[in-house]
Amino acid sequence: MDLFKDFKAADYAQWEAAVLQELKGEAIDKLRTTTEDGLRLSPYYTAADLPASVAQHLPGDLPYRRGLRANHNDWVIFERFVIDQATTTNKAVLHALMHGTEGIIFDGPISQSQQFGALTEELLPQYLILCFRNTDPVPLAGWLKAWADRLEIPAIAIRGSAGYDPITASCFGEEGRLLPLGDLVRNYQQNLPAFLPISVNAARFRENGASLVQELGIALAMGNAYLKRLLTDGLSIDEATPALQFELAVSTDYFAEIVKFRAFRTLWSGLVAAYSPQHSCTAAANILASASATPLSAIDPHTNLLRLTTAAMSAVLGGVHGLALQPFDLPVNGGTTFGAELSRNIQLLLKNEAYLDRVVDPAAGSYYLESLTDQLSDQAWAFFQTIEAQGGFETAWQNGWLPEQLKTHRQQLSLAVGNRKKVLVGVNQYPDQQAAELVSWPTAGFRVSADFEALRLQTAAAKQRPKVFLLPMGDLAIRLARATFIANFFSCAGYEIIENNGFESIEAGVKAARDSGAQIIALCGADVDYPALVPNFCSLLGDKAELVLAGYPQAEMERYQQAGIRHFIHLRSPLLETLQAFQQIVLS
């Protein structure tokens, strides 16, 4: 029985005609937008937007657009541990493993075999994945091999990555031992065949302001730089490529982050193909995703749980090998055990209750996501080619071009957050009006909420918390809408908001405002009501407070300024810049 035989397929022209009818004569381009990464979004997609080559792709097959696995979508739940005292770290690791963690990232130098032994005490390496960061990979290989021998398990049962990444380390001014990469890879492939010695940590560049496109281009360029070194050292492409692990960040741009992983696998397989490998699996990219700290905030920190959940779903649906989430309270106090546990539970819920590990390539068939994958692939490849044209990644970094690209995007992102073009719930939109105090952890890297946290810290340090008195008058609907807007606006700086439903007269409102002791008094009403309200509002208050008018009555602004209005706050007001100016006034 064909349930669809009576339904005719609608072509693009029919869809466009229907949309134009709804727009009532306005141009359809009104509904087309461009993301901060330059991806063009349409209001609707049809089968015509599906790339022709997609129908030929299957999960587990080249070019790995649809993932590396044909039968499942499982991933490793990682947790990162900064090495402090070895026995304390080991105790925390064992606790995490008993509560659902499947992979451990040891972040920090391990200098002695005794320290390694204390860190790994009671661990069973054949049942977990181990990754190391900032540890010399040569002695590490010896410790891992000796560990396997002591436990009487085959060396191939020791799985993970050594995290050796001298290129990234040099970019961030970190000193480390430069090793002959060919010898290092041969050592690991002979003694620890399931352990990847080299990491391509593009996530660090994302944490310092890189865009999605830039991150992918950097990952490709760094990966290519390592391949060239390994080939020069005498390895074949089939020996060199499996030695690499890629670490990519994942943030909160839900759909774009999903397709990022699909795009990267496709691009990497294409790059490897240029070296003529003998085996198709040589082109498979091993990807460890780590949640970006960039969107996390010390303001309303529990909102970070939503951000981490969004990021986790993007990574999982994008088909990563493993995923590490930050503790949700990382910006508040550097991350607590409780914060790490809640972040771990996000992955456990996605795996054990949402069953996202059982659906192969959940993004398949979406015209929108397939189109977005192609767009991101094209732009990332173009960025990679630009890097290569300058002589490769290291040259592009050393000559300052690549750092400048990251700096420019970082500034653009900060500006978008500062102007509310990019919304961070609880930070620059819908802040908690009751929360005044703020504790912020001085984390490395770039966080888009940092400027707002600085405002809140200044407010919290003030002898008296600034007050904003809302004086709504006139048309009920408009005055309430504008009062709500002004309340949200000033709450982003942690000011106390004194709300009111309205007053029978401007005189009554002004009296209540003066009695409140507020430093800022905002008249909230309709533009048509302001000519009758503003003169009395200004004359009664004089210079007793900073007088704010909600709205932008352009034709009357000069007259209102002469009457005494000093500030006009509206939708186009630059949020961060305006609040910084008020800080200078009310906290001086």
Side-chain angles (χ1 to χ4, degrees), residues 4 11 19 58 60 104 180 225-226 335 384 395 419 441 458 479 489:
F4 299 98
D11 59 22
V19 172
L58 291 174
I104 302 298
Y226 280 122
F384 161 68
T395 301
N419 291 337
W441 186 261
Q458 290 174 0
R479 81 189 192 197
F489 196 96

Side-chain angles (χ1 to χ4, degrees), residues 54-102:
V54 169
Q56 304 169 11
H57 299 162
L58 291 174
D61 292 343
L62 276 172
Y64 303 117
R65 178 186 183 112
R66 299 189 59 192
L68 303 181
R69 296 152 299 204
N71 302 315
H72 63 84
N73 188 44
D74 200 7
W75 74 96
V76 178
I77 299 174
F78 275 98
E79 193 163 334
R80 189 183 303 270
F81 292 87
V82 177
I83 298 175
D84 186 13
Q85 191 175 20
T87 53
T88 303
T89 303
N90 173 257
K91 184 177 179 180
V93 167
L94 290 171
H95 174 84
L97 291 171
M98 291 294 291
H99 290 81
T101 297
E102 301 166 335

Side-chain angles (χ1 to χ4, degrees), residues 468 470 481-491 497 522 524 548 550 569:
V468 180
L470 304 181
R482 284 186 164 173
T484 300
F485 176 80
I486 296 296
N488 278 331
F489 196 96
F490 283 104
S491 292
I497 308 299
C524 307
V548 172
I569 294 181

Side-chain angles (χ1 to χ4, degrees), residues 338-401:
F338 176 67
E341 191 154 342
L342 287 191
S343 294
R344 182 193 317 131
N345 287 345
I346 290 172
Q347 294 201 61
L348 291 173
L349 287 169
L350 295 182
K351 181 176 287 195
N352 298 324
E353 296 197 27
Y355 303 119
L356 296 188
D357 58 330
R358 302 187 185 183
V359 182
V360 180
D361 188 20
S366 166
Y367 304 149
Y368 166 54
L369 294 181
E370 298 292 2
S371 173
L372 209 59
T373 301
D374 270 15
Q375 278 194 63
L376 187 56
S377 297
D378 290 344
Q379 294 190 33
W381 186 256
F383 192 75
F384 161 68
Q385 289 180 310
T386 304
I387 295 174
E388 291 298 299
Q390 298 189 50
F393 175 83
E394 290 166 285
T395 301
W397 185 269
Q398 290 166 5
N399 67 21
W401 178 83

